Amino acid sequence: MSALQKILYVEDEADIQAVAKLALEMVGGFTVKVCSSGEEALREAEAFAPDMILLDVMMPGIDGPNTLVGLRKIPALATTPVAFMTAKVQPQEVASYKALGAKDVIPKPFDPMTLADQVRRVWSS
Amino acid sequence: MAEKTSSHRMTLNQSDRNTLPSSAGIAGHLSNSSTLEDSLLHSEQARVLYGGLPLALLFNVLLSTMLVTVMWPIISFNLATVWLLLMGVALIGRLGIYVWYRRKNSRLPATQWLKIFRITIIASGLVWGAAAYAFFPNENITYQVFLAFVIAGVSSAAITSLAPDRRSALSFIIPALLPLVYHFANEGGTMPFSMGLMVLLFLVFLSAASVRLEKNLRENIYLRGQALEQRNALRENEQRFHYILDTCPTAVRISKTGFFEVVYFNQSYVKLLEATPDQVLGINPIKYYVNKEDYADIVKELGNGEAVFDRLIELHIPEQPDLPHKWTLATYLRIEYQGEPAVIGWFHDISERIQMDRMKNEFVSTVSHELRTPLTVISGSLGLLAGGAITGLPDTAKQMVDLAYKNSLRLTRLINDLLDMDKLAAGKVELNMQTMQIMPLIEQAITENKNYAASRHVGITLSSVSPETRVVLDSHRFLQVMANLISNALKFSPNAATVDITVVVKDKNLRVSVIDCGMGIPAEFHGRIFQKFSQADSSDTRPKGGTGLGLAITKELVERMGGQIGFDSVEGRGATFYVEFPIGDM
């Protein structure tokens, strides 16, 4: 497994996009591509060829879990590590995300200074 | 319904049932029979005596006519006429009281009717006895035998109809038979004497039989009364049972075993299902079960002779798909209903509670999401500024950003604490228990608190005598426990102090202690330190913030992981909080 560099971040909230992108790029030094919806992610993910994908859960249109299902159908992304970033972290919710194939869940609100470390930990776990 | 029940209650009380004698003790009981039983006996005696009157009168008419006809050649016309007239008067008198009894039965008590009957039966007996005086043919054995045969026959027949009342029986047979005995005795000779003796013995035998028959009747009446009372008691119990079920606020239904068709349901049951009675009665209840497997499981358990208690069951009426489903806690017991094996089901409607739980879960989930989304942005932005990811802020602005960031974290903790407490209270905290070394987790907890420790200018030390020891824990929740204990210790430590964390083996447990040298815990607060919303200083101006939920949550989490929590503290000399977990693998 090569180093974690390219992250696809799918989030509909523009403000959170900005904070997370900043945290991941400035603190973590990653290359981040942000998609504002599941549809956009499904359209552009393959071309971006991310090392890891971060997905919000509640989004208009295709939500996070369905986006994950769609991404898994793209051969190039079938094994790309995926983590959900969400405030919906009740035990049964977390269990359902993991059942879909997510590696882990990063709860919101996240600490921007340690977010990059968290993502790295999930990626390498 | 209530009036109906109370009227039934009057027919038989519990003490009556409890004093029922055994059949062997009936005779003794009869001698002390109550007024109620006597009254019942007298009524029954009167009913039987008067009921048998028409047949007895017909018999009397036939026999008296036959007697006079057969003996006509040897008796005087005048005597025969007088005797027939007397017999006619006696029979008409008895017919009269019969008609009177039938029409005005309720006018007189049974004892009066019996007295009237006895008077008329004495008259009838005297008339038959008079036949012996009037028609006894001296020295004509053939007619003597015929006369004796007729009078003895009448007496025998009378016993059958008069048996219920020995006084009536004796009132008839004694005056009817004694004159015959007298005449045979006076006739002289062995044959008449023997016949007289036989008639006398017959009289004694009939008298004894009448006494015995009346006794049997009394027993019979008593037993019938008891049977009636028991039937009433049974009916009363059944009515009480139905009354309780009918008015029970819990839905109840009874279904027969076999096809399990519903044979009884109460109002609460149809109300629960919002069904009409014909949608319920005679129908196998499986159709109401949303999950047919639930029904199959219950039938199986009942079939194994087990009772089923408090099973969560979802019910609906398929014909009414628009109606919301009902959630019930159901209990099933095998019973006997109307003499057949059956199953009684009790359904406690908890739909509202389930609905409320769902709404609450949705609310908690929504609030959690809606609050956390802006908080993510606020604390994220401030965190980047405060953490130095973005540089170039003037010092004063940096100071303000630090303050804002610190408080955004505080708000996050507050929301997390409230949500955690809610989940703990609802028993919805799921634990992922695994065997693991505890030291890496403690080190991670210290790392996560380093920034806070630095901001408070407090150091953290860690010492362990058994770093390899393994315990069974949920790592995420243990980190939460340690975060709470460490942040509390940091919060209450003075400037430049140190928080010491020690890990030791104590008996068969691993003890992790977090030791601070802060102001300690006042003795009066020791008893409620782990209670929700508890803080030693609850004044509006208390210097340390917090929700007062941290230690309550910590205690709950530790105990759910199989550990225990405690503390030692003297006010003014700091505090030591410790958690202990059993050493060992899963």
Side-chain angles (χ1 to χ4, degrees):
Chain A
M1 195 185 282
S2 57
L4 171 60
Q5 185 54 46
K6 291 165 76 178
I7 294 175
L8 176 71
Y9 180 44
V10 188
E11 164 70 61
D12 64 312
E13 287 272 345
D15 294 349
I16 298 180
Q17 283 176 9
V19 174
K21 190 170 191 293
L22 208 60
L24 291 169
E25 287 181 344
M26 292 191 70
V27 181
F30 302 124
T31 306
V32 178
K33 175 173 178 59
V34 176
C35 291
S36 297
S37 67
E39 291 87 341
E40 188 185 341
L42 291 173
R43 234 177 11 247
E44 302 191 8
E46 191 172 7
F48 180 62
D51 301 318
M52 181 160 182
I53 300 166
L54 300 177
L55 283 174
D56 184 20
V57 171
M58 288 174 69
M59 293 187 290
I62 304 176
D63 64 7
N66 281 312
T67 305
L68 172 55
V69 172
L71 289 170
R72 286 291 183 236
K73 288 177 184 164
I74 301 169
L77 303 171
T79 57
T80 308
V82 171
F84 280 103
M85 282 180 67
T86 178
K88 291 170 77 68
V89 287
Q90 296 203 48
Q92 71 273 21
E93 293 168 337
V94 172
S96 70
Y97 307 145
K98 288 188 173 175
L100 282 172
K103 286 196 85 171
D104 210 340
V105 177
I106 297 170
K108 288 177 181 172
F110 52 81
D111 177 355
M113 298 307 290
T114 60
L115 177 63
D117 289 342
Q118 271 181 286
V119 171
R120 255 191 213 99
R121 213 161 34 235
V122 173
W123 185 76
S124 58
S125 64
Chain B
M1 190 70 189
E3 285 172 13
K4 199 174 173 186
T5 305
S6 69
S7 73
H8 278 287
R9 195 170 294 128
M10 287 169 67
T11 62
L12 181 74
N13 59 42
Q14 190 64 42
S15 62
D16 286 335
R17 287 203 295 278
N18 290 342
T19 53
L20 278 182
S22 65
S23 57
I26 286 171
H29 185 84
L30 284 174
S31 62
N32 299 316
S33 55
S34 66
T35 309
L36 179 71
E37 284 161 7
D38 276 345
S39 163
L40 192 67
L41 176 71
H42 295 148
S43 299
E44 186 65 7
Q45 283 175 314
R47 191 185 67 78
V48 175
L49 291 176
Y50 281 90
L53 252 178
L55 193 63
L57 294 179
L58 182 65
F59 191 63
N60 273 271
V61 169
L62 288 174
L63 276 183
S64 54
T65 308
M66 196 187 297
L67 178 70
V68 171
T69 308
V70 171
M71 298 198 71
W72 189 256
I74 61 159
I75 56 175
S76 90
F77 173 78
N78 288 342
L79 274 176
T81 308
V82 170
W83 186 81
L84 280 174
L85 275 174
L86 286 172
M87 180 57 79
V89 170
L91 294 181
I92 288 168
R94 293 179 72 191
L95 182 65
I97 62 162
Y98 170 74
V99 174
W100 188 22
Y101 174 82
R102 290 295 300 263
R103 289 186 179 172
K104 312 281 183 186
N105 178 0
S106 58
R107 286 273 177 91
L108 295 173
T111 48
Q112 290 297 323
W113 286 114
L114 284 175
K115 277 181 187 166
I116 293 166
F117 187 89
R118 285 174 198 144
I119 289 167
T120 60
I121 202 71
I122 287 174
S124 190
L126 284 172
V127 173
W128 279 106
Y133 278 112
F135 306 143
F136 194 83
N138 292 331
E139 297 173 2
N140 187 334
I141 192 69
T142 307
Y143 282 105
Q144 284 175 5
V145 169
F146 176 73
L147 183 64
F149 183 83
V150 170
I151 295 176
V154 166
S155 298
S156 298
I159 285 297
T160 58
S161 64
L162 301 176
D165 180 36
R166 72 175 191 285
R167 289 185 199 172
S168 296
L170 295 174
S171 301
F172 181 81
I173 58 174
I174 291 171
L177 287 173
L178 269 183
L180 198 59
V181 175
Y182 172 78
H183 276 285
F184 274 122
N186 282 344
E187 181 70 3
T190 310
M191 179 69 87
F193 180 78
S194 299
M195 287 191 65
L197 190 60
M198 279 196 295
V199 172
L200 186 62
L201 287 173
F202 185 63
L203 172 61
V204 171
F205 171 77
L206 285 183
S207 301
S210 73
V211 171
R212 198 172 62 249
L213 284 170
E214 191 204 77
K215 191 180 160 197
N216 285 347
L217 181 80
R218 287 182 81 104
E219 284 183 7
N220 188 302
I221 289 169
Y222 173 75
L223 290 174
R224 277 170 56 193
Q226 294 299 330
L228 191 69
E229 283 190 355
Q230 283 175 356
R231 201 165 62 232
N232 283 344
L234 199 64
R235 195 182 302 140
E236 187 196 15
N237 275 345
E238 208 164 275
Q239 279 173 341
R240 198 179 290 157
F241 172 68
H242 271 129
Y243 176 71
I244 290 168
L245 291 187
D246 285 344
T247 56
C248 180
T250 299
V252 181
R253 67 139 160 84
I254 297 172
S255 52
K256 283 185 186 172
T257 52
F259 181 62
F260 288 104
E261 71 270 29
V262 172
V263 288
Y264 170 84
F265 58 88
N266 66 0
Q267 280 307 307
S268 303
Y269 188 69
V270 282
K271 201 170 153 195
L272 167 76
L273 291 172
E274 296 184 45
T276 55
D278 60 314
Q279 286 176 318
V280 172
L281 194 65
I283 290 168
N284 186 321
I286 190 170
K287 65 178 283 193
Y288 321 132
Y289 286 68
V290 175
N291 300 311
K292 308 300 179 200
E293 298 83 18
D294 289 346
Y295 183 80
D297 288 347
I298 290 159
V299 169
K300 192 176 164 193
E301 286 173 47
L302 289 168
N304 292 337
E306 300 163 23
V308 179
F309 293 101
D310 291 338
R311 186 70 50 87
L312 187 62
I313 299 291
E314 188 180 6
L315 298 171
H316 72 142
I317 283 282
E319 294 87 351
Q320 292 168 299
D322 296 338
L323 290 177
H325 292 189
K326 293 297 175 81
W327 287 92
T328 65
L329 277 181
T331 292
Y332 302 84
L333 302 170
R334 294 191 79 100
I335 59 163
E336 195 167 286
Y337 183 72
Q338 293 175 343
E340 290 185 46
V343 172
I344 185 166
W346 304 77
F347 302 86
H348 181 52
D349 187 359
I350 56 162
S351 307
E352 211 165 294
R353 209 166 83 196
I354 296 275
Q355 182 72 9
M356 290 297 289
D357 270 3
R358 281 186 177 164
M359 283 171 64
K360 193 177 154 195
N361 282 347
E362 278 167 24
F363 175 76
V364 167
S365 184
T366 306
V367 165
S368 155
H369 182 260
E370 293 307 318
L371 285 175
R372 285 179 206 227
T373 300
L375 255 180
T376 302
V377 178
I378 294 166
S379 68
S381 307
L382 293 169
L384 286 170
L385 287 167
I390 300 164
T391 51
L393 281 181
D395 283 350
T396 319
K398 176 80 168 54
Q399 215 174 352
M400 290 299 108
V401 165
D402 286 348
L403 271 177
Y405 179 54
K406 199 166 70 183
N407 280 280
S408 74
L409 293 182
R410 193 171 151 194
L411 192 55
T412 304
R413 275 197 303 274
L414 172 65
I415 291 168
N416 287 343
D417 278 359
L418 286 169
L419 292 175
D420 268 348
M421 204 64 239
D422 178 73
K423 278 187 267 179
L424 282 165
K428 286 178 183 163
V429 170
E430 291 170 16
L431 297 173
N432 179 21
M433 301 292 282
Q434 288 177 330
T435 306
M436 60 188 73
Q437 285 184 11
I438 207 165
M439 289 309 292
L441 294 174
I442 296 172
E443 283 160 7
Q444 188 182 336
I446 292 171
T447 305
E448 286 174 2
N449 273 281
K450 256 186 179 155
N451 287 344
Y452 182 47
S455 71
R456 304 261 326 134
H457 307 291
V458 176
I460 302 176
T461 68
L462 171 63
S463 63
S464 170
V465 291
S466 52
E468 304 297 321
T469 311
R470 292 156 68 88
V471 289
V472 180
L473 287 170
D474 176 314
S475 58
H476 170 66
R477 292 301 180 178
F478 178 72
L479 280 173
Q480 191 178 347
V481 166
M482 289 309 297
N484 267 333
L485 295 180
I486 294 171
S487 64
N488 263 358
L490 293 171
K491 184 164 67 179
F492 292 104
S493 289
N495 233 353
T498 303
V499 168
D500 298 316
I501 299 171
T502 64
V503 183
V504 295
V505 174
K506 189 175 166 55
D507 300 325
K508 290 178 179 174
N509 294 327
L510 193 75
R511 175 183 279 206
V512 182
S513 303
V514 179
I515 305 153
D516 71 64
C517 49
M519 57 191 168
I521 301 158
E524 63 272 19
F525 185 59
H526 285 195
R528 51 192 177 91
I529 192 160
F530 291 115
Q531 288 175 8
K532 284 183 264 183
F533 305 107
S534 295
Q535 287 208 324
D537 179 359
S538 58
S539 66
D540 290 343
T541 55
R542 66 178 190 264
K544 310 290 179 189
T547 56
L549 285 170
L551 281 176
I553 292 168
T554 302
K555 183 173 189 288
E556 280 281 335
L557 289 174
V558 169
E559 288 176 355
R560 294 209 183 184
M561 286 189 286
Q564 49 185 323
I565 189 169
F567 70 97
D568 298 308
S569 179
V570 175
E571 195 170 3
R573 293 190 198 167
T576 299
F577 279 85
Y578 57 84
V579 291
E580 287 183 4
F581 295 94
I583 296 168
D585 292 337
M586 287 181 85

